[in-house]
Amino acid sequence: MIKKLMISSVIFIVLCLIIIVALIIAIVKSYNKNTTEDMTLIKPTHAVPIVTETHGVTRVNGHVIVNKQYSLPPSYQPKENKYARKQLDKLLIRAQKNNMDLNYVSGYRSYEDQKRVVKTFEKEDGKMTAEQYTAKPGHSEHQTGLAFDVGTNKPMKDFHKDFQKSKEARWLARNASDYGFIIRYPKGQSSQTGYAYEAWHIRYVGQTLAKSIANDQTNLESYYELNQR
């Protein structure tokens, strides 16, 4: 009798442990989905965006914000976001299946990396021209680890002018939001974003926000009313 009770107790304990482990796994999966895959956000028309600043890094509803107004410190070095890169790879695979010559060009750049990039473009195009599409160190989206530049192997005389006219650029604008990306600096919106149209520059913000911004044909600054602060 005692032996049967011991066996029953062991079985009960094992079942309880299995249930506890299953609950922990479910909670972790739910957390990861909400924080890295989708990032469900609040739209300004429904509620005031929540702006926070920690160690020199500004976030709006959890999203790192960087532009000509908001900067990132040299110490902010998150490296490339693995999930964002995974979504980019999926986007590029779909592009190839749709017969688009669209390729990865660049991703994460540290504060020091951006210094070198700025010097290179200023040397090639002149300081005034470079400032239209090249961010100063600490003001680059690439430092977030969530921004990428894409391009094409097609011959182009002036990539910055010619890519935006390509079928690849049009395809990217239509499909980027399916994978959580936005065209960070849309055409005709430089007065809000601070930068000229960059058809090749995309930023991962999660599918929910990306779809909203794409549907409204707007940009991150206008969506969160950042220029009114």
Side-chain angles (χ1 to χ4, degrees), residues 37 87 175-182 203-211:
E37 293 184 15
Q87 291 302 98
N175 296 279
S177 63
D178 290 344
Y179 298 88
F181 291 97
I182 58 172
R203 159 75 187 266
Y204 182 79
V205 295
Q207 192 178 74
T208 300
L209 180 56
K211 286 291 184 183

Side-chain angles (χ1 to χ4, degrees), residues 1-227:
M1 185 67 178
I2 296 175
K3 186 176 181 180
K4 287 183 178 180
L5 287 173
M6 290 178 65
I7 294 173
S8 298
S9 298
V10 170
I11 293 173
F12 178 77
I13 292 172
V14 171
L15 288 174
C16 288
L17 288 173
I18 291 173
I19 292 171
I20 292 171
V21 170
L23 286 172
I24 292 173
I25 292 173
I27 292 170
V28 170
K29 285 184 176 180
S30 176
Y31 175 80
N32 287 338
K33 181 177 181 180
N34 290 332
T35 57
T36 60
E37 293 184 15
D38 195 280
M39 302 182 195
T40 301
L41 302 166
I42 303 169
K43 191 172 180 179
T45 53
H46 299 158
V48 176
I50 300 171
V51 180
T52 61
E53 182 180 336
T54 306
H55 303 302
V57 180
T58 301
R59 290 180 173 83
V60 178
N61 289 5
H63 287 284
V64 175
I65 297 296
V66 56
N67 53 28
K68 288 189 175 181
Q69 180 181 356
Y70 296 96
S71 63
L72 295 172
S75 59
Y76 185 70
Q77 301 178 22
K79 305 301 181 183
E80 184 180 82
N81 183 283
K82 292 181 179 180
Y83 186 78
R85 180 55 188 268
K86 183 179 179 181
Q87 291 302 98
L88 174 67
D89 292 341
K90 289 181 179 179
L91 173 65
L92 296 179
I93 288 173
R94 181 177 168 189
Q96 292 176 358
K97 289 181 178 179
N98 289 174
N99 298 315
M100 294 292 138
D101 183 24
L102 199 62
N103 310 295
Y104 167 86
V105 174
S106 66
Y108 172 75
R109 290 201 291 265
S110 68
Y111 187 97
E112 293 301 320
D113 292 335
Q114 190 65 19
K115 275 187 178 180
R116 290 188 283 272
V117 169
V118 170
K119 287 182 179 179
T120 298
F121 281 119
E122 287 182 348
K123 186 177 180 180
E124 293 178 354
D125 303 328
K127 186 174 182 178
M128 187 175 294
T129 300
E131 285 181 349
Q132 295 178 18
Y133 58 83
T134 307
K136 295 179 180 179
H139 293 268
S140 172
E141 281 270 311
H142 288 279
Q143 194 179 340
T144 66
L146 296 164
F148 303 93
D149 287 343
V150 296
T152 176
N153 291 321
K154 294 180 178 178
M156 292 184 174
K157 185 177 181 180
D158 186 335
F159 177 80
H160 295 110
K161 293 181 179 179
D162 297 340
F163 180 75
Q164 62 183 273
K165 302 173 185 176
S166 69
K167 66 176 184 177
E168 282 76 15
R170 292 191 293 272
W171 184 93
L172 182 64
R174 290 194 306 269
N175 296 279
S177 63
D178 290 344
Y179 298 88
F181 291 97
I182 58 172
I183 303 298
R184 184 62 181 88
Y185 309 119
K187 188 175 183 179
Q189 299 181 33
S190 59
S191 61
Q192 290 90 47
T193 65
Y195 294 98
Y197 176 38
E198 293 188 7
W200 61 88
H201 181 90
I202 57 178
R203 159 75 187 266
Y204 182 79
V205 295
Q207 192 178 74
T208 300
L209 180 56
K211 286 291 184 183
S212 294
I213 288 178
N215 290 337
D216 290 351
Q217 296 183 350
T218 187
N219 55 77
L220 205 55
E221 281 75 14
S222 295
Y223 188 89
Y224 278 136
E225 302 173 355
L226 297 177
N227 293 327

